[in-house]
Amino acid sequence: PAMNVQAVAVWGKIAPSHSITAIMITDDQQTIVTGSQEGQICLWDLSSELKISSKEILFGHTASVTCLAKARE
């Protein structure tokens, strides 16, 4: 059975800034992907009621993320 795990980000009193420079939505229209000037990629859940909630934040890029593309099979 699949396990549902809630993503948790831990930082101080102020969350890291995420100035969006790129955005993409998946083909199933359930996930929004954003890239930021600060070099992060964030995944967001999009509900059928169009409510957006954070899912994951990925760190590691040393430069701005200015383009997003889906991988081919």
Side-chain angles (χ1 to χ4, degrees):
M3 231 171 45
N4 187 4
V5 177
Q6 182 68 33
V8 176
V10 180
W11 46 72
K13 293 181 180 183
I14 301 172
S17 58
H18 185 73
S19 306
I20 294 175
T21 52
I23 189 166
M24 182 183 75
I25 190 164
T26 56
D27 289 339
D28 63 7
Q29 299 183 347
Q30 294 182 354
T31 303
I32 296 173
V33 182
T34 57
S36 76
Q37 184 175 349
E38 296 78 18
Q40 307 132 358
I41 295 176
C42 288
L43 304 177
W44 310 84
D45 281 326
L46 179 61
S47 73
S48 56
E49 296 82 29
L50 301 180
K51 292 184 180 181
I52 300 171
S53 58
S54 60
K55 184 176 180 178
E56 294 180 64
I57 186 167
L58 310 171
F59 296 95
H61 289 85
T62 57
S64 297
V65 177
T66 58
C67 183
L68 296 166
K70 60 184 174 183
R72 297 179 188 210
E73 292 183 16

